[in-house]
Amino acid sequence: MAILLSVITRRSRFGPPLWRRSAYALAALPAGLASLTGVRVQPALAHRLLGVPSARPGRFRTILHALLSLPLGALSLLAAAYGWAIVVLNLLYPARWLIGMGGSLDSSWGGPTLAGAWAVHAAGGLVMLLLMPALMRGTTTLQARLMLRVFGGTAPNGTMAR
């Protein structure tokens, strides 16, 4: 089990690329909504956070991309917000009572003791923590590919720079 955990964490990208992708996933929907006005907010954000080649699309392509990317932006916002909330709330399970989310330990998974409930929830939080790099990479790669398709660009070497 320890070897499997070591392989998974070594292959995962916990560092600046994960945080930039997470930031883009959280900001993609608001940036897309702002881009509906024709202002190139989303392409600039993708260039800065994902390393997508800088595009200077016209107003029509900017609005077209903003419309096409709204469902994907909503999906990535949901995945990033919910995924990171699961990680934090489960790893810091005892802190739930500090923010008013506590409940009865008798009905909690791993209960009736706090140690048992925390252990079970922390295990779920760790699993989600290990899944988040792949989830963030997947959603932001789809967004970058859509942007490149609509704006007519290509990523260097077929991959994003960051």
Side-chain angles (χ1 to χ4, degrees), residues 14-159:
F14 291 100
L18 174 62
W19 306 124
R20 283 193 299 268
R21 287 177 181 278
S22 295
Y24 185 80
L26 291 168
L29 182 62
L33 291 172
S35 293
L36 285 173
T37 63
V39 178
R40 295 181 290 267
V41 175
Q42 201 166 15
L45 187 68
H47 174 67
R48 183 161 183 85
L49 294 176
L50 300 179
V52 174
S54 182
R56 304 275 306 162
R59 185 177 178 91
F60 174 75
R61 284 188 184 249
T62 300
I63 294 171
L64 175 65
H65 174 262
L67 281 172
L68 293 174
S69 70
L70 285 178
L72 196 51
L75 176 70
S76 67
L77 175 66
L78 179 67
Y82 188 67
W84 287 117
I86 287 174
V87 169
V88 171
L89 289 174
N90 283 343
L91 290 178
L92 301 175
Y93 184 77
R96 288 181 175 195
W97 279 270
L98 296 175
I99 59 173
M101 289 182 61
S104 170
L105 287 174
D106 293 333
S107 62
S108 177
W109 290 359
T113 65
L114 179 59
W118 193 359
V120 169
H121 284 82
L126 284 174
V127 168
M128 194 63 187
L129 179 64
L130 295 175
L131 292 175
M132 285 305 290
L135 187 59
M136 291 298 95
R137 184 174 188 89
T139 59
T140 56
T141 298
L142 287 173
Q143 290 174 331
R145 286 185 181 176
L146 175 65
M147 185 172 292
L148 292 172
R149 177 76 56 149
V150 172
F151 295 155
T154 58
N157 298 330
T159 60

